[in-house]
Amino acid sequence: MLSVFVDRFYRQLQILSDARVSPFSSHGYYALCRQQLTKEYWLVNQKNRTDGKEADGVSALDFGELSELLASNLDESILSDAAAFLINEMGDEQKAEYINALYFSEKLQGLFKGVVDITGSHHLLSDAVSDKELRLSKLMGMTNNEESIHELYDCFPWLNRSEQHSSDAILRMFTDLVEEGLLDTKVMSLFLLVLTPSQLNVIGNVASNVLSAEDALCVLVRGGMVKHAPLINSVLAQSETPSILLRALRNLLGSSLDNLVEFDVQLAAWQGEQSAIKRFQQEFALNWPKYEDDFANQRVISGYPLVSKFNGASKRAVSFSNLLLIDLFTAQQSLQPVEETLGAA
């Protein structure tokens, strides 16, 4: 049973979940946490087999029990990692059947998106999946398929670099994404990253009028523009949700933020310690001038310029959520203009 698996490995799952959701944990650390859980899971199952007991396995994944655990006090992030761990023990055919059934289970769709991200199973999703964030990841993995590229550009026209979109068209696309509830998704982040600096400025001016102050600031830095980082720092103490702004800063600058603010201060501020937030502001303001010339005109993800080639080492250094975005951005960069890819009409 899943509940037995969660109880037995709760501490390991909690560590794994914290490493996945924290913007201050690297993907390399997350991978080590997962390896540790795999090792302990294997040792327990080996002992069960030696003792003649039934081993834990994918049979533990029952939708009814998933629903019960989701309705309990169990952290949803921990449950996502538990379900994803067991799903990764499946073969592709069984995994595809399970995750698609999970998607079409109305009560479990919220849990489902986390599971697919963790397992990297976007390519196994049914064509009937309508969630735009999931469709983006699925289609980005199928760009060698002509039909998929047509669908990609139909769903996300801003990815088609052969089209010269006007400022009005870009604003309509931004507004549509907001109205579709995609503000805090990888779809919006990728949209902002593929815009030109001038287009991003247009979006920033409009965002300040239609979004909350925190959301508008996050839109600016999610487009990779480092020059806006001091503005976020200046309002931290006045913000009702400083953790959101701090996450945005960490996602923007990655470990480069350690040059500006001590890591322990960053972590304490993100966790809501008021004295740490004030110290964060002070250290950032003091150290920013030393790096301003390096940062001012750059666009980055997790501290890496958008023009970077992300290798294994750099990917291990970024957070789990930023790695998912980097993979999407890298796939987008490899897209050719539609005429070159599909042939001019």
Side-chain angles (χ1 to χ4, degrees), residues 184-205:
D184 295 320
T185 66
K186 293 187 290 296
V187 177
M188 178 63 84
S189 293
L190 185 62
F191 169 73
L192 296 169
L193 287 171
V194 303
L195 297 180
T196 65
S198 60
Q199 289 172 331
L200 191 59
N201 287 335
V202 171
I203 293 295
N205 291 334

Side-chain angles (χ1 to χ4, degrees), residues 110-167:
L111 180 72
F112 166 84
K113 291 182 73 171
V115 167
V116 174
D117 277 347
I118 296 168
T119 58
S121 300
H122 304 93
H123 64 293
L124 298 176
L125 294 174
S126 163
D127 290 337
V129 170
S130 59
D131 183 285
K132 272 203 165 182
E133 192 172 16
L134 296 172
R135 285 173 70 81
L136 176 64
S137 294
K138 175 181 170 67
L139 292 170
M140 278 296 201
M142 302 174 64
T143 53
N144 60 338
N145 179 288
E146 183 174 319
E147 184 177 343
S148 296
I149 295 177
H150 277 299
E151 186 178 350
L152 183 66
Y153 289 145
D154 284 344
C155 290
F156 311 101
W158 36 271
L159 287 173
N160 187 352
R161 286 179 287 163
S162 67
E163 295 287 339
Q164 299 299 315
H165 301 294
S166 67
S167 293

Side-chain angles (χ1 to χ4, degrees), residues 9-126:
F9 299 104
Y10 182 82
R11 178 177 170 277
Q12 297 93 322
L13 286 166
Q14 187 176 42
I15 293 171
L16 184 67
S17 173
D18 289 346
R20 177 172 59 84
V21 301
S22 172
F24 299 93
S25 293
S26 69
H27 188 264
Y29 175 65
Y30 171 81
L32 287 175
C33 293
R34 179 173 171 75
Q35 288 173 10
Q36 183 61 32
L37 175 57
T38 301
K39 177 181 177 181
E40 296 188 29
Y41 175 78
W42 182 84
L43 289 173
V44 166
N45 279 346
Q46 279 293 98
K47 185 177 186 305
N48 283 340
R49 282 189 283 269
T50 301
D51 294 343
K53 298 176 182 178
E54 183 179 349
D56 291 330
V58 295
S59 60
L61 282 169
D62 172 80
F63 279 10
E65 190 176 18
L66 264 174
S67 297
E68 290 176 8
L69 287 171
L70 192 59
S72 71
N73 292 326
L74 179 65
D75 190 313
E76 184 174 328
S77 178
I78 292 176
L79 182 56
S80 294
D81 275 295
F85 183 89
L86 293 177
I87 288 171
N88 267 333
E89 297 294 305
M90 301 176 179
D92 269 4
E93 185 175 342
Q94 186 182 9
K95 185 187 295 185
E97 182 180 352
Y98 193 91
I99 64 167
N100 283 293
L102 189 60
Y103 174 77
F104 290 107
S105 174
E106 185 176 343
K107 295 181 179 179
L108 298 173
Q109 277 197 16
L111 180 72
F112 166 84
K113 291 182 73 171
V115 167
V116 174
D117 277 347
I118 296 168
T119 58
S121 300
H122 304 93
H123 64 293
L124 298 176
L125 294 174
S126 163

Side-chain angles (χ1 to χ4, degrees), residues 278-289:
K278 292 180 180 178
R279 186 174 170 188
F280 183 106
Q281 288 184 296
Q282 292 167 352
E283 290 189 16
F284 189 103
L286 177 66
N287 291 316
W288 175 258

Side-chain angles (χ1 to χ4, degrees), residues 251-270:
N251 283 337
L252 174 72
L253 294 173
S255 59
S256 296
L257 186 58
D258 299 345
N259 296 323
L260 303 170
V261 182
E262 290 182 27
F263 181 81
D264 289 345
V265 174
Q266 296 176 47
L267 192 57
W270 181 61

